[in-house]
Amino acid sequence: MNITFCCTDTKAEPWLAGLRAAFPEATVDVWQPGAAQADVAVVWAPPQRFLDEQQALKALFNIGAGVDALLKLRLPPGVRVVRLDDAGMSVQMAEYVCHAVIRHFREFDGYEADVKAGKWSYRKPRDRKDFAVGVMGLGVLGERVARALRVFDFPVHGWSRTPKAIEGVFTHSGEVGLETFLSASRVLVNLLPLTPDTQDILNRQTLGRLQPGGYLINVARGAHLVDADLLALLDSGHLAGATLDVFRTEPLPPEHPFWQHPQITLTPHTSARTLRDESIAQIAGKIRALEAGQPIAGVVDAIRGY
């Protein structure tokens, strides 16, 4: 077996060492232009030339949950695109979202500002029943986030393209359920895959349906959010704030108004990082399963985009 590694902005050697340990019988190398044809590839943001040259690939293993950038490229005919199911990302995402929700609910940002100003202050405790959290996207990561939020007794709603059932979570689906889901939510967490149908879905209309004083947490893709619409809703007072981990342009340009907005908390696309050892183990297991003719999880439907 010939395994090739083509991951932009990723240190290759640790990945190669892990893959070679998992497949001592295989050839595992970093792709170079003109390289021999590989059977499978481990990729992240590969150039089009790589895909044009590697026409014999049986599978592309993407070292992340999001495959939107990969699906924009011309892929070899018949190749399977396989994404990571979890590989240690879901617990990180649950940590991040719970932290952001609790920070807003408990007004820790306000306390932090007061302390910096040398002010000793108290705020009236809020009633968590008034802070329903809506999780938009109920895949592996979204379901883990929704379950984690229930531990803190927040009312949790979930929305997905097709119906799903999660214990303790009010689930909604499809276009019919979207409006009900949004109007029931005071905090909105976006975990949708980026597809042509979901691009710009966080806009003036959808965010405007959140309960007054709503709060946005975007941990999916920057292209889901219409930046100007968020700023307008914050300035109008309909939204109380936002925590943003993803942006249309990354790194976020220094002149972008998000940097200085007092109601926006920014992090540099770090809500759930790829964990190398866990990812290699998952990829290796899937490659072995494919070799044995067994079905695997995480195969992307190119039409749906995830």
Side-chain angles (χ1 to χ4, degrees), residues 44 65-66 68 89 93 96-97 100 136 141 188-194 198-202 216-228 230 242-253 256 258-259 264-273:
W44 179 255
D68 45 285
M89 287 187 288
M93 191 64 80
Y96 183 99
V97 171
M136 208 173 191
L141 302 184
L188 179 64
V189 180
N190 178 42
L191 276 160
L192 290 171
L194 181 61
T198 64
Q199 183 167 330
D200 298 330
I201 195 169
L202 303 176
L216 172 67
I217 300 169
N218 188 19
V219 286
R221 286 290 185 267
H224 284 126
L225 175 63
V226 180
D227 295 359
L230 171 62
T243 292
L244 306 177
D245 185 55
V246 290
F247 309 93
R248 287 179 179 267
T249 301
E250 295 182 0
L252 186 66
H256 199 288
F258 284 171
W259 282 109
I264 296 178
T265 298
L266 307 177
T267 53
H269 203 147
T270 194
S271 55
R273 303 290 296 273

Side-chain angles (χ1 to χ4, degrees), residues 121-239:
S121 64
Y122 291 103
R123 285 170 167 76
K124 182 180 178 181
R126 291 166 157 178
D127 192 336
R128 68 190 63 240
K129 78 174 186 298
D130 297 329
F131 275 78
V133 183
V135 179
M136 208 173 191
L138 296 175
V140 172
L141 302 184
E143 181 171 342
R144 181 64 180 267
V145 166
R147 292 185 185 279
L149 288 164
R150 286 292 301 132
V151 172
F152 297 99
D153 292 342
F154 289 104
V156 179
H157 292 256
W159 181 82
S160 53
R161 187 180 66 88
T162 56
K164 293 193 175 181
I166 302 172
E167 185 178 356
V169 177
F170 303 99
T171 54
H172 313 261
S173 62
E175 288 297 322
V176 174
L178 182 58
E179 186 165 353
T180 303
F181 163 79
L182 290 169
S183 63
S185 302
R186 182 161 176 179
V187 179
L188 179 64
V189 180
N190 178 42
L191 276 160
L192 290 171
L194 181 61
T195 69
D197 289 336
T198 64
Q199 183 167 330
D200 298 330
I201 195 169
L202 303 176
N203 54 46
R204 187 185 296 265
Q205 182 179 11
T206 54
L207 296 176
R209 290 176 180 164
L210 297 179
Q211 296 173 9
Y215 194 89
L216 172 67
I217 300 169
N218 188 19
V219 286
R221 286 290 185 267
H224 284 126
L225 175 63
V226 180
D227 295 359
D229 288 1
L230 171 62
L231 292 168
L233 289 166
L234 289 170
D235 293 344
S236 73
H238 182 73
L239 294 184

